Amino acid sequence: MRLKCTVAYDGTNFHGYQIQLQKRTVQLELEKALQKLHKGEKVKAFASGRTDSGVHAHGQVIHFDTLLHIPLERWPYALNSLLPDDVACLNAEKTDAHFHARFNVKKKEYRYRVLLTKEADVFKRNYTFHYPFPLDMLKMKEAADYLIGSHDFTSFCSAKTEVEDRVRTIYEINLNQINGELVFSFIGNGFLYNMVRIIVGTLLDVGAKKIIPEDIPKILLARNREKSGKTAPGHGLYLWKVYYDN
């Protein structure tokens, strides 16, 4: 039986999702829990995509295959009893044997939280990027509109990006101020390595009037990482939701 699970995690003490030698990762903790459930048998957990060190997830999706006959509603309880406190299985459902958490993704939503208060908040330091400077929200929204649609996002991804096809489609970008925070949300068919964080850094440059909204199309056309803004820190980023057919 193939199971699809939604997983949340606090990325603060993880070196990202994917297993790395001698480092604590989300995949490692999930597979350790699955191995215990399966009496020592190794079970691989495939995710919708990687997240970097410090990045959080509200709705990461994984799949794995199992021969265990545990009622679906009991799977979250079974896994959570074996997982550390900073990872949680939110739900589980049986899925088609051809389903793949990564390859069947249709859309993803990421959110990024920026703390706008003058003083830092020690309790939010691992969950928001503190930015205590004035921002022109109207200019930022104007700049964000230029990024909606299908574009080559080479200027907005890390130089370490391995994929050759860097065309992605962004369907929505929203900016909302909530309780002293600026929350960005991005919905697209896929995102390149560090793409959301670089877009956030660039939009903050627009808000700080270091560049103008009309510079965004020029940055896109340049296909040069050096033309865009700094990469915003990972701890403000959340993989919020993953969309599939049906």
Side-chain angles (χ1 to χ4, degrees), residues 22-66:
Q22 296 182 335
K23 289 184 178 180
R24 184 174 187 257
T25 67
V26 179
Q27 185 181 12
L28 176 66
E29 295 294 347
L30 286 167
E31 291 184 2
K32 280 166 59 178
L34 287 168
Q35 187 170 356
K36 288 178 183 177
L37 271 181
H38 289 79
K39 308 298 183 185
E41 180 184 349
K42 291 186 177 181
V43 177
K44 189 170 179 62
F46 297 88
S48 69
R50 307 174 188 176
T51 52
D52 288 339
S53 180
V55 175
H56 314 288
H58 177 270
Q60 172 71 282
V61 174
I62 67 167
H63 85 258
F64 58 88
D65 294 327
T66 181

Side-chain angles (χ1 to χ4, degrees), residues 163-221:
V163 297
E164 293 185 10
D165 180 6
R166 298 181 180 183
V167 175
R168 296 292 184 273
T169 302
I170 295 181
Y171 303 114
E172 292 182 32
I173 301 178
N174 295 299
L175 287 73
N176 296 293
Q177 286 186 265
I178 306 168
N179 297 326
E181 292 184 18
L182 169 59
V183 181
F184 294 84
S185 66
F186 302 86
I187 298 178
N189 67 351
F191 295 89
L192 300 164
Y193 184 40
N194 284 351
M195 180 173 156
V196 172
R197 291 163 59 189
I198 294 169
I199 289 175
V200 169
T202 306
L203 292 178
L204 289 174
D205 281 350
V206 173
K209 300 184 178 178
K210 295 178 182 178
I211 60 176
I212 60 174
E214 291 77 13
D215 286 333
I216 299 298
K218 298 173 186 176
I219 295 172
L220 283 166
L221 288 173

